[in-house]
Amino acid sequence: MNKNEIRTVPLSQVSNVVSGGTVTINLPTIDTYHKVLLETGISYSKMTEVKLIVDGSVAWELNSMQELVNILDKYNSIPTSTGVLQIPFVMNQLNQLNERVLSALGTADISTLVLQFKIATDVTNPTITATAEVSDNTNIGLMLHIKKSNVDYASTGIKTITTNNIPKGFATPMEGKDVYPRLLVVHFENDGVDDFELKTGNTSRYKASRTLLKHQLKSVRPNARTEQTGYTHIDFLRNGTIAGAFNMIYRDLSFVVDVNLAGNYNFTSVFLAPHRGV
């Protein structure tokens, strides 16, 4: 068998597809997962509290499948189709094929992999058919993590964010190799961010105005990002390589933002790390 061959296989372990139910999709730990495809007529905004759970630990947390589509598909200029929800694990925004393969979700060294979400109570007669695109199994290695943070500001101006949900790096490389977790992108669910700065301690590592942030979304390789309405995006994967993303060797990260609107500035951090997280 060709180890690089991509196969399309049904996922039969789908349970509790009912109005108001918490759907559980068990992904057998016998393959490397490139994406999961859900054929459904349910509105993506009606599928909420999305989690990807690896060996009992939450690796992904999103408000809804609509948010997933916004920040993983549409933002990365991945085509979407009505009635087919695609959940990608492979990072197609990387230049090199070997790095894209690296980001696929291997399961050879884990016991359980579960996709979980809730269906709204006003959805009638929901149906879901689940399929996966897979290849031969590998160890999990580095995988995508999606972590939520909640911040709310009663006033405008410069704010410093030090929440524990900002990903923190390791003191030593992963598994003794010269590989550290990498911060790929931060999505603020508010377009009122004028300036953004990433600091380690008192040292500025990245600083950009709103104008520059928007320009960088257009100049990234291999494909430009698509800005989503109501979001502010800070993209660290501008040259299309894992090595070019922000190296999370540091543990004392903070974000400094200049906001021009009072209100909610919840944000989502997307990063590569071992499944045990950062």
Side-chain angles (χ1 to χ4, degrees), residues 146-165:
I146 304 173
K147 187 170 287 189
K148 301 288 293 184
S149 293
N150 302 310
V151 291
D152 195 69
Y153 298 125
S155 61
T156 61
I158 296 175
K159 314 292 183 181
T160 299
I161 302 171
T162 58
T163 171
N164 288 335
N165 269 7

Side-chain angles (χ1 to χ4, degrees), residues 1-276:
M1 181 182 294
N2 181 357
K3 290 184 177 296
N4 294 320
E5 178 186 14
I6 306 297
R7 307 185 308 278
T8 301
V9 299
L11 296 173
S12 59
Q13 298 180 47
V14 182
S15 62
N16 209 29
V17 182
V18 296
S19 176
T22 297
V23 178
T24 297
I25 303 176
N26 289 301
L27 282 67
T29 54
I30 57 174
D31 290 306
T32 292
Y33 290 86
H34 295 248
K35 68 175 64 172
V36 168
L37 301 164
L38 303 182
E39 296 175 67
T40 183
I42 304 171
S43 170
Y44 300 158
S45 64
K46 300 288 186 178
M47 304 158 76
T48 62
E49 298 183 38
V50 181
K51 296 179 181 178
L52 182 71
I53 305 169
V54 183
D55 276 353
S57 297
V58 177
W60 290 18
E61 48 185 350
L62 298 117
N63 293 333
S64 68
M65 286 297 187
Q66 185 60 62
E67 182 186 16
L68 184 149
V69 169
N70 288 345
I71 68 173
L72 289 186
D73 292 338
K74 292 182 177 180
Y75 172 73
N76 291 310
S77 301
I78 297 174
T80 59
S81 300
T82 301
V84 180
L85 170 61
Q86 59 180 349
I87 303 170
F89 301 116
V90 171
M91 297 172 56
N92 289 312
Q93 62 268 46
L94 294 169
N95 280 321
Q96 300 299 319
L97 177 61
N98 64 324
E99 287 201 335
R100 291 181 211 155
V101 171
L102 176 67
S103 66
L105 188 51
T107 61
D109 55 347
I110 63 174
S111 298
T112 59
L113 181 62
V114 178
L115 179 65
Q116 181 179 290
F117 55 91
K118 290 186 177 181
I119 299 176
T121 56
D122 59 352
V123 175
T124 58
N125 302 318
T127 61
I128 295 173
T129 301
T131 305
E133 293 185 4
V134 303
S135 59
D136 284 3
N137 212 357
T138 59
N139 288 342
I140 194 167
L142 289 174
M143 64 167 287
L144 275 180
H145 287 250
I146 304 173
K147 187 170 287 189
K148 301 288 293 184
S149 293
N150 302 310
V151 291
D152 195 69
Y153 298 125
S155 61
T156 61
I158 296 175
K159 314 292 183 181
T160 299
I161 302 171
T162 58
T163 171
N164 288 335
N165 269 7
I166 293 178
K168 306 295 192 296
F170 296 139
T172 57
M174 182 189 74
E175 299 173 354
K177 302 174 184 178
D178 188 20
V179 178
Y180 288 91
R182 301 281 173 162
L183 181 60
L184 307 177
V185 60
V186 177
H187 304 280
F188 281 88
E189 298 169 33
N190 193 312
D191 59 2
V193 176
D194 278 343
D195 299 284
F196 176 89
E197 182 177 14
L198 185 152
K199 300 177 73 173
T200 58
N202 294 320
T203 303
S204 179
R205 301 285 175 182
Y206 173 95
K207 188 173 184 178
S209 66
R210 182 178 182 82
T211 300
L212 183 56
L213 291 174
K214 288 177 173 289
H215 168 76
Q216 289 178 335
L217 298 183
K218 299 176 182 179
S219 62
V220 292
R221 299 179 302 181
N223 56 300
R225 311 294 189 248
T226 302
E227 185 175 4
Q228 299 300 296
T229 301
Y231 283 82
T232 300
H233 311 282
I234 300 93
D235 200 300
F236 299 98
L237 197 64
R238 292 183 300 280
N239 68 353
T241 66
I242 293 175
F246 183 76
N247 189 338
M248 292 165 57
I249 189 174
Y250 310 98
R251 294 195 61 80
D252 54 351
L253 297 184
S254 63
F255 299 157
V256 180
V257 293
D258 186 359
V259 300
N260 61 40
L261 295 170
N264 189 281
Y265 281 81
N266 294 345
F267 63 91
T268 304
S269 301
V270 181
F271 55 99
L272 277 176
H275 78 275
R276 57 192 169 94

